[in-house]
Amino acid sequence: MNILLTGSAGFLGKNLIQYLNTLKDGRNKTRPSLHIGDIYEYDINNTYEELDEYCKKADWVVNLAGVNRPKDVSEFNEGNFGFASTLLDTLKKHHNTCPVMLSSSLQATLAGRFGKSEYGLSKKAGEELFFDYSKETGAKVYVYRYPNLVGSGVRPNYNSAVGTFCYNYAHDLPITVSDESVELELLFAADLIEELLDAMEGHPHRCEYPKTGDVIDGVTYDGLTPRPSDNGRYCYCPVTHKATLGEIVALLDKFKEHPRTLMAPDFTPDSFEKKLYSMYLSYLPKEKTIFDLKMNVDNRGSFTELVHTANSGQVSVNVCRPGITRGMHWHVTKMEEFIVVSGKARIRERKIGTDEIEEYIVDGSRIQSVIMKPGFTHEITNIGDIDLITVMTCNEVFNPDKPDTFFEKID
């Protein structure tokens, strides 16, 4: 499949090209039915002769070209309607009826605050051009209306408030939020790319956009919300996220404090927080990509907390000198796991109130995890001749006001 991608130098275009290349060269095996051939990159600096050649050879067209920040409003129609007309006329010239995807916008609904949007009117005109083209030629068209498009690398101080917020937080610059209750619907580029690949495989998510006030199956529509429909005129990405500006800022505050708190974001698959954190990290300058951790050092070695989590405890690393024993305490509800990654250790546990000792000999040549059971006093001893390095997990972040740690020797 040869793919023509217009608007290739834009944010979404760059991300899509990178992903398509991983499929093309076999690094990405998640889409075995997609066989990517040539990828024709077309942008404002290319010539019509190149577009003509690409339209002749393309098996699929992804039209991302458009204007969203013109010097004059007349450029909206020229960029969002005029080029689309040129593209479709060139495909017709070569009798190429391959599928064509159009990158449109929710503003094309002309609903609510978008009712008089010059940008929305130009996008709507472009949509109708594609639908007419489909009727005339029989070619499949896939018209997507995006909400706020975001993701790693989106251009700050341009057309994404979230991109600006992430960039400014990463660079210690101020932001302005006039109303924290304003809610945004956000579409991450990675989710959209998966949807576009679904369309290339022949199973896009289709929908209609009921008019403002329409009530269907008990749902009152606002003109902006897609209604899934197998035979819908439009297509949509089913994975979007809604968040207020206040919620976004609160998360960015949390992310910025990570070097101090060590608190990891919510990494639940497909969570908004996980995606926003990845986006925030993409703007970090080099000097903020590395930071010191607090090492608690004494003559026995060192103990360093690595990461904290809201619901899954913490991870630490312990360095123990040869012949040194650490631990000799027990917990009521807290549980730990000791994972020796270098050196040789003897780990011993004894249930409180009994004399029976459980012993384990472990070393870094065979990495194993040993569970420190609640109600068992435990210790770890370096029985090798090099420093013992142990990764330690705990099911809760240490709380100095409630340490749940009680000294008691094994013997």
Side-chain angles (χ1 to χ4, degrees), residues 11-58:
F11 158 65
L12 182 58
K14 290 178 180 177
N15 278 270
L16 180 56
I17 288 168
Q18 291 169 359
Y19 203 93
L20 288 173
N21 279 323
T22 68
L23 293 169
K24 179 179 178 179
D25 61 23
R27 286 174 289 160
N28 186 339
K29 303 184 185 302
T30 61
R31 301 275 179 165
S33 65
L34 278 183
H35 303 284
I36 308 299
D38 291 329
I39 302 172
Y40 307 124
E41 301 178 27
Y42 182 87
D43 206 78
I44 193 170
N45 294 321
N46 290 90
T47 65
Y48 175 76
E49 288 71 25
E50 289 173 302
L51 179 65
D52 184 76
E53 183 70 13
Y54 298 159
C55 284
K56 180 169 63 175
K57 296 179 179 179

Side-chain angles (χ1 to χ4, degrees), residues 24-326:
K24 179 179 178 179
D25 61 23
R27 286 174 289 160
N28 186 339
K29 303 184 185 302
T30 61
R31 301 275 179 165
S33 65
L34 278 183
H35 303 284
I36 308 299
D38 291 329
I39 302 172
Y40 307 124
E41 301 178 27
Y42 182 87
D43 206 78
I44 193 170
N45 294 321
N46 290 90
T47 65
Y48 175 76
E49 288 71 25
E50 289 173 302
L51 179 65
D52 184 76
E53 183 70 13
Y54 298 159
C55 284
K56 180 169 63 175
K57 296 179 179 179
D59 301 308
W60 235 93
V61 177
V62 180
N63 182 36
L64 305 179
V67 173
N68 52 29
R69 281 292 183 93
K71 295 179 180 178
D72 186 270
V73 293
S74 63
E75 295 178 32
F76 276 137
N77 197 58
E78 179 183 343
N80 297 327
F81 178 83
F83 174 75
S85 180
T86 300
L87 171 66
L88 298 180
D89 284 345
T90 308
L91 288 169
K92 284 191 286 186
K93 170 185 171 181
H94 294 291
H95 306 287
N96 187 345
T97 58
C98 70
V100 184
M101 173 278 217
L102 172 64
S103 172
S104 187
S105 165
L106 270 186
Q107 293 195 37
T109 61
L110 303 178
R113 68 184 187 278
F114 302 135
K116 296 181 180 180
S117 164
E118 293 288 345
Y119 177 67
L121 288 167
S122 68
K123 283 295 190 181
K124 176 67 173 175
E127 291 178 356
E128 295 304 322
L129 191 68
F130 272 71
F131 290 133
D132 290 343
Y133 170 78
S134 179
K135 290 178 183 178
E136 178 185 349
T137 65
K140 293 181 179 179
V141 298
Y142 304 88
V143 176
Y144 285 88
R145 288 174 164 176
Y146 306 153
N148 296 281
L149 187 60
V150 295
S152 299
V154 70
R155 184 175 170 185
N157 302 303
Y158 186 60
N159 64 341
S160 170
V162 180
T164 302
F165 288 179
C166 287
Y167 178 89
N168 285 15
Y169 261 83
H171 291 82
D172 299 319
L173 298 173
I175 65 167
T176 300
V177 180
S178 56
D179 185 354
E180 291 191 350
S181 67
V182 171
E183 185 178 70
L184 301 179
E185 182 179 9
L186 303 172
L187 171 58
F188 283 87
D191 293 322
L192 176 56
I193 288 172
E194 291 297 336
E195 168 60 26
L196 298 183
L197 296 176
D198 285 345
M200 291 180 188
E201 289 181 333
H203 47 88
H205 291 84
R206 289 196 169 273
C207 71
E208 295 289 355
Y209 284 89
K211 295 180 180 178
T212 303
D214 283 358
V215 180
I216 304 174
D217 296 332
V219 177
T220 302
Y221 284 84
D222 58 4
L224 300 169
T225 303
R227 180 175 183 269
S229 171
D230 291 342
N231 299 310
R233 191 184 196 205
Y234 298 93
C235 299
Y236 75 108
C237 180
V239 183
T240 63
H241 300 269
K242 291 184 178 181
T244 66
L245 292 178
E247 290 168 339
I248 293 169
V249 169
L251 286 174
L252 292 175
D253 283 330
K254 175 182 176 180
F255 300 161
K256 187 173 182 178
E257 287 296 302
H258 170 71
R260 181 183 64 82
T261 65
L262 303 181
M263 185 58 66
D266 173 11
F267 288 134
T268 302
D270 293 325
S271 73
F272 172 66
E273 186 170 338
K274 174 178 180 287
K275 295 175 185 178
L276 184 65
Y277 186 58
S278 293
M279 182 176 173
Y280 165 76
L281 292 180
S282 71
Y283 297 101
L284 282 184
K286 178 183 177 181
E287 64 271 16
K288 286 194 174 183
T289 307
I290 183 171
F291 59 91
D292 292 333
L293 295 170
K294 181 184 177 183
M295 297 178 64
N296 300 287
V297 182
D298 59 25
N299 59 359
R300 299 173 299 169
S302 66
F303 178 80
T304 307
E305 296 181 9
L306 303 180
V307 65
H308 294 172
T309 69
N311 301 306
S312 301
Q314 69 179 45
V315 180
S316 309
V317 62
N318 182 67
V319 179
C320 189
R321 307 294 184 208
I324 296 296
T325 297
R326 303 288 292 265

